[in-house]
């Protein structure tokens, strides 16, 4: 088993960008929650508060034409690939200036032009789909890599195992990333999983190395991501990375997360990836003013996105019957 | 012009498209060197090699997930699900992922893929290898559904399915695999959403699909002998559905009989009956009659299976009874 923690490999400018992305994800998710409480965001949403380092670290290691496959907890992975805040927030609010004009919602964020090939809301389904994108890249010889994020709960469904086996036998350029936040919805993952590390302990069954990384340390995530992606690009096949992390809130917007012991929550809040990284950057030569400037500029960006999203029109009937088929329509008969 | 079996027509249709377009790939269980369990892919592995004709593990979710991911990134996969009953273990990928994602993403992604599958009964395989699932597929927004009834249509509709930019479920009636017909040489390209009038008669219109088409034709011959002259339509494509042809032919005779292999409830004939009663009710001279498999799992014993699936005798008896009522 390899446990990776590293603080090396990036210059200060690159690390400030990693900080900016994490702060942006944090402030976006906080705003999304507030807008839910104000009834601007309808339906459900699953926030990545506390898990920002994984999205930020991987996105930084990806090429612009690489593919991201995310789950319903996908706001962070979508934004980290460079999708602007306004269309994401507007999508959550069901507006026509949303990323999918309001037709997908929080759980299905997709932006093909940014390589975000979708957020999938049925557990496990996107692992084989990511294999397909990787198969396509392999066949076309493009050296693109598919990165597939999923939660610890996904490791117990059949599609997980089918995908790992296929990726291994076809040596597909895919990186599987388990965001192990210790809780499968409302149940502790170790209570319903045969092994202590739900992804890493299964890797060897498919001939893969067991890799566990501190998912709250963006530098460590970046390093392990870079290694796995280089391997995939070079034809070395898939990797499985288990990133240990913790969600600060509940599973979804309706869940206060009260089933978790207070001491455990406190322990992980003390390991919040953003203050930790803030302290590290100061130690590595950044100034407090630089970091505050980043936080303020992100806050301003969130304000603008909020106003733009709120100003977006609600969709009309013209959108309802569009785009079932590639011809743009929905006719099933002549 | 050559005599071609239905199963040979499948590999001919796939090969025609793979020669034309190198982004067309085939995947499935045993489809490579083995040529498919129903021998529907014989010769493809030899001609196109292991990178374009790929054997998979018994992992239906992986097969269809891979097809979906490949389709959204520039390829045109033809995936095989060996028996259509096995759609039940990968239906999430078909219904929730492939069928919905174009709509959900406001048209950002397309899925130019074909999912082939051996469908239906008549081979004494029992309830888990004999179902007709065309009604499962038809009820899902975002899927096109094609069911050929003969070798010529297999080649042409396969080409049309591969060239279509949307996901197509291509159901192959297992009991027709060994049926033969003359098929012209050269490329054959048909189009989706076109029913075919196979026989014209003035008294009643029989609308059939897949393996029921040859039975409906045979029944029409027998009915002609007792003075009932039938039009026979091969639906060929459930989605898109050629209601123009069907409604025209039902209007002309005033009577509609559907011949369906699917179990009774929510079979495609139910939808057709609804369309006919909403749109040409006053052109009807009698009730719409559905001839279907009863609403039961299919039994294995030949004697029982033959009672369950509509037979030529049942079609003849039902039509003549209803026409003489």
């Amino acid at each position: 088993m390899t446990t990776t923690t590293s603080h090396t490999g990036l210059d200060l400018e690159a690390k400030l960008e990693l900080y900016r992305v994490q702060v942006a994800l944090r402030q976006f998710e906080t705003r999304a929650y507030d807008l839910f409480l104000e009834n601007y965001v309808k339906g459900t949403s699953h926030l990545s508060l506390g898990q920002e380092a994984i999205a930020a670290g991987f996105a930084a290691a990806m090429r612009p034409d690489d593919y991201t496959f995310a789950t319903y907890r996908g706001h962070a992975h979508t934004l980290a690939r460079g999708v602007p805040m306004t269309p994401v927030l507007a999508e959550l609010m069901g507006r026509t200036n949303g990323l999918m004009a309001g037709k997908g919602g929080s759980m299905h964020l997709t932006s093909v032009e940014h390589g975000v090939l979708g957020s999938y809301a049925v557990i496990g389904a996107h692992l084989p789909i990511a294999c397909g994108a990787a198969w396509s890249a392999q066949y076309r010889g493009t050296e693109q890599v598919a990165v597939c994020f999923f939660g610890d709960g996904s490791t117990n469904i059949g599609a997980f195992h089918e995908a790992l086996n296929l990726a291994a036998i076809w040596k597909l350029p895919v990186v599987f990333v388990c965001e192990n936040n210790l809780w499968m919805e409302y149940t502790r993952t170790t209570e319903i999983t045969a092994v202590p590390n739900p992804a890493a302990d299964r890797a060897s069954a498919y001939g893969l190395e067991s890799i566990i990384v501190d998912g709250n340390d963006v530098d460590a995530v970046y390093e392990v991501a870079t290694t796995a992606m280089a391997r995939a690009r070079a034809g070395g096949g898939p990797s499985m990375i288990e990133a240990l992390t913790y969600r600060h809130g509940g599973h979804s917007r309706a869940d206060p997360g009260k089933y978790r012991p207070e001491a455990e929550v406190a322990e992980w809040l003390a390991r919040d990836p953003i203050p930790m990284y803030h302290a590290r950057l100061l130690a590595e030569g950044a100034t407090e003013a630089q970091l505050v400037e980043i936080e303020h500029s992100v806050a301003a960006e969130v304000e603008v996105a909020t106003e733009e999203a709120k100003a977006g029109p609600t969709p009309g009937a013209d959108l309802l019957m569009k785009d079932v088929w590639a011809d743009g329509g929905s006719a099933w008969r002549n | 012009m050559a005599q071609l079996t239905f199963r040979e027509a499948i590999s001919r249709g796939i090969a025609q498209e793979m020669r034309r377009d190198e982004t067309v790939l085939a995947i499935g269980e045993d489809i490579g060197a083995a040529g498919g369990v129903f021998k529907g892919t014989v010769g493809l592995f030899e001609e196109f090699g292991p990178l374009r004709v790929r054997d998979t593990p018994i992992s239906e979710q992986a097969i269809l997930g891979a097809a979906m991911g490949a389709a959204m990134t520039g390829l045109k996969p033809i995936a095989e699900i060996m028996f259509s009953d096995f759609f039940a273990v990968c239906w999430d990928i078909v219904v929730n992922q492939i069928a919905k994602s174009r709509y959900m993403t406001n048209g950002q992604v397309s899925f130019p893929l074909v999912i082939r599958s051996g469908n239906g009964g008549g081979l004494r395989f029992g309830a888990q290898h004999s179902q007709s699932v065309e009604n499962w597929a038809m009820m899902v927004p975002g899927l096109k559904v094609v069911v050929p009834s003969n070798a010529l249509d297999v080649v042409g509709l396969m080409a049309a399915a591969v060239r279509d930019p949307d996901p197509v479920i291509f159901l192959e009636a297992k009991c027709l695999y060994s049926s033969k017909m003359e098929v012209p040489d050269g490329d054959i390209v048909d189009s989706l959403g076109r029913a075919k009038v196979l026989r014209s008669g003035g008294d009643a219109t029989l609308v059939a699909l897949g393996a029921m088409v040859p039975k409906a034709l045979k029944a029409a011959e027998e009915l002609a002998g007792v003075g009932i002259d039938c039009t026979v339509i091969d639906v060929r494509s459930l989605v898109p559905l050629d209601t123009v042809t069907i409604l025209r032919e039902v209007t002309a005779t005033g009577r509609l009989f559907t011949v369906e292999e699917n179990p009774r409830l929510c079979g495609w004939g139910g939808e057709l009956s609804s369309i006919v009663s909403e749109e040409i009710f006053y052109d009807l001279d009698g009730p719409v009659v559905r001839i279907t498999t009863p609403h039961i799992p299919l039994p294995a014993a030949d004697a029982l299976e033959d009672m369950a699936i509509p037979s030529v005798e049942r079609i003849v008896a039902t039509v003549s009874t209803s026409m003489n009522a």
Side-chain angles (χ1 to χ4, degrees):
Chain A
M1 185 178 294
T2 309
T3 301
T4 309
T5 48
S6 168
H7 306 152
T8 58
L10 290 168
D11 62 20
L12 185 61
E13 193 185 345
K15 290 190 171 194
L16 287 169
E17 175 61 13
L18 283 178
Y19 184 70
R20 189 196 66 77
V21 172
Q22 292 181 90
V23 169
L25 304 182
R26 173 67 52 92
Q27 291 194 15
F28 179 93
E29 293 288 60
T30 305
R31 176 57 53 91
Y33 186 72
D34 292 344
L35 289 170
F36 161 71
L37 294 177
E38 294 170 36
N39 204 31
Y40 279 105
V41 173
K42 313 281 172 57
T44 190
S45 56
H46 304 76
L47 305 178
S48 286
L49 292 169
Q51 304 185 186
E52 297 90 345
I54 300 168
F58 265 93
M62 291 171 79
R63 233 165 59 173
D65 62 346
D66 286 335
Y67 301 128
T68 290
F69 288 84
T71 67
Y72 52 87
R73 197 181 304 285
H75 306 169
H77 293 296
T78 302
L79 294 165
R81 292 301 305 280
V83 179
M85 286 184 182
T86 297
V88 179
L89 206 48
E91 185 64 30
L92 268 52
M93 293 165 57
R95 306 300 172 98
T96 52
N97 55 338
L99 197 53
M100 295 100 80
K103 292 173 82 171
S106 163
M107 296 201 283
H108 300 291
L109 298 175
T110 302
S111 182
V112 172
E113 66 169 303
H114 296 91
V116 182
L117 291 198
S119 306
Y120 296 81
V122 181
I123 295 290
H126 65 310
L127 279 82
I129 300 166
C131 285
W135 172 41
S136 168
Q138 180 189 60
Y139 178 77
R140 291 180 289 117
T142 59
E143 298 186 351
Q144 290 164 289
V145 176
V147 181
C148 182
F149 301 94
F150 53 92
D152 40 272
S154 301
T155 63
N156 291 319
I157 202 163
F160 169 89
H161 298 273
E162 292 193 16
L164 278 172
N165 185 58
L166 193 78
I169 58 172
W170 289 4
K171 288 192 102 171
L172 296 176
V174 57
V175 179
F176 297 107
V177 186
C178 175
E179 302 178 289
N180 181 1
N181 63 23
L182 312 187
W183 291 85
M184 183 224 69
E185 298 201 29
Y186 306 171
T187 303
R188 190 182 286 285
T189 301
T190 51
E191 289 176 8
I192 43 85
T193 307
V195 288
N197 286 102
D201 290 346
R202 266 77 175 258
S204 65
Y206 301 100
L208 304 178
E209 189 184 353
S210 286
I211 301 172
I212 298 174
V213 65
D214 180 353
N216 282 16
D217 179 343
V218 71
D219 287 341
V221 169
Y222 174 80
E223 186 166 297
V224 79
T226 303
T227 304
M229 299 193 65
R231 174 193 167 94
R233 243 184 268 292
S239 297
M240 165 75 84
I241 294 162
E242 181 171 326
L244 298 175
T245 187
Y246 204 74
R247 57 171 148 80
H248 287 177
H251 167 73
S252 64
R253 56 94 174 160
D255 168 30
K258 293 295 185 194
Y259 40 84
R260 304 183 302 184
E262 281 178 26
E264 179 183 289
V265 175
E267 180 194 332
W268 279 92
L269 284 174
R271 300 200 62 256
D272 186 327
I274 293 174
M276 283 203 311
Y277 206 53
H278 187 117
R280 182 181 300 160
L281 290 179
L282 291 179
E284 293 184 5
T287 65
E288 182 67 23
Q290 278 178 301
L291 302 181
V292 168
E293 160 60 23
I294 287 171
E295 291 156 16
H296 285 171
S297 81
V298 166
E301 190 187 349
V302 170
E303 286 308 323
V304 170
T306 304
E307 293 315 309
E308 287 179 347
K310 283 181 179 175
T314 51
D318 56 320
L319 278 174
L320 183 67
M321 303 302 286
K322 270 187 66 187
D323 279 321
V324 171
W325 308 124
D327 68 5
S330 57
W332 54 269
R333 58 174 285 192
N334 56 8
Chain B
M1 191 77 98
Q3 280 275 326
L4 213 60
T5 61
F6 191 99
R7 57 163 57 89
E8 288 164 344
I10 291 161
S11 32
R12 175 162 154 192
I14 295 173
Q16 173 187 305
E17 295 307 296
M18 290 184 74
R19 283 180 205 125
R20 181 185 61 84
D21 181 349
E22 66 177 18
T23 65
V24 178
L25 311 181
I27 58 168
E29 297 158 16
D30 296 326
I31 68 157
V37 294
F38 298 114
K39 301 297 173 202
T41 54
V42 169
L44 297 179
F45 181 83
E46 290 74 11
E47 180 173 353
F48 301 104
L51 288 182
R52 295 187 66 191
V53 182
R54 287 197 99 155
D55 281 326
T56 67
I58 302 175
S59 301
E60 279 79 9
Q61 292 183 81
I63 293 168
L64 296 190
M68 174 177 173
M72 66 202 290
T73 54
L75 302 184
K76 300 186 185 76
I78 303 171
E80 177 181 311
I81 295 299
M82 191 184 289
F83 286 81
S84 63
D85 313 71
F86 307 165
F87 273 124
V89 299
C90 54
W91 206 227
D92 172 51
I93 304 285
V94 180
V95 174
N96 282 316
Q97 314 304 338
I98 292 171
K100 292 177 183 169
S101 288
R102 181 175 175 80
Y103 185 84
M104 289 199 300
T105 63
N106 198 32
Q108 288 186 58
V109 286
S110 290
F111 300 96
L113 59 85
V114 178
I115 304 173
R116 307 170 37 234
S117 193
N119 188 50
L123 300 184
R124 311 359 182 157
F125 284 170
Q128 294 181 351
H129 290 71
S130 302
Q131 277 177 104
S132 287
V133 305
E134 56 270 20
N135 50 340
W136 296 7
M138 187 188 188
M139 67 173 70
V140 179
L143 298 179
K144 294 182 177 175
V145 187
V146 173
V147 190
S149 70
N150 60 72
L152 175 62
D153 283 1
V154 164
V155 180
L157 290 174
M158 179 66 75
V162 170
R163 296 177 194 202
D164 196 273
D166 294 310
V168 178
I169 307 292
F170 192 94
L171 296 173
E172 303 163 2
K174 296 193 293 289
C175 67
L176 295 180
Y177 275 131
S178 57
S179 63
K180 274 189 183 177
M181 73 183 291
E182 291 284 328
V183 178
D185 299 329
D187 280 8
I188 300 171
V189 184
D190 209 325
S191 51
L192 305 185
R194 294 282 177 272
K196 254 190 199 167
V197 180
L198 301 180
R199 186 183 201 283
S200 287
D203 298 326
T205 301
L206 312 187
V207 180
L209 183 79
M212 299 300 100
V213 172
K215 292 186 181 185
L217 279 172
K218 185 89 187 341
E221 278 172 35
E222 294 188 17
L223 287 161
V226 295
I228 301 172
D229 209 8
C230 295
T231 290
V232 176
I233 297 178
D234 182 350
V235 181
R236 305 200 313 151
S237 170
L238 288 175
V239 182
L241 184 64
D242 184 3
T243 53
V244 169
T245 298
I246 296 169
L247 292 175
R248 183 188 69 221
E249 297 300 322
V250 175
T251 300
T253 64
R255 290 301 303 268
L256 167 62
F257 295 85
T258 66
V259 190
E260 310 166 47
E261 188 175 346
N262 47 226
R264 175 93 189 176
L265 298 191
C266 302
W268 57 265
E271 184 59 46
L272 197 54
S273 172
S274 156
I275 293 168
V276 162
S277 56
E278 284 181 36
E279 299 179 26
I280 55 166
F281 182 77
Y282 295 105
D283 295 311
L284 293 177
D285 297 327
V288 173
V289 176
R290 294 179 58 206
I291 302 164
T292 76
T293 296
H295 208 63
I296 55 172
L298 271 187
D302 48 1
L304 291 172
E305 191 180 38
D306 288 344
M307 279 186 252
I309 298 172
S311 61
V312 174
E313 295 70 29
R314 176 140 66 98
I315 299 166
V316 169
T318 306
V319 173
S320 52
T321 302
S322 181
M323 293 298 288
N324 293 322

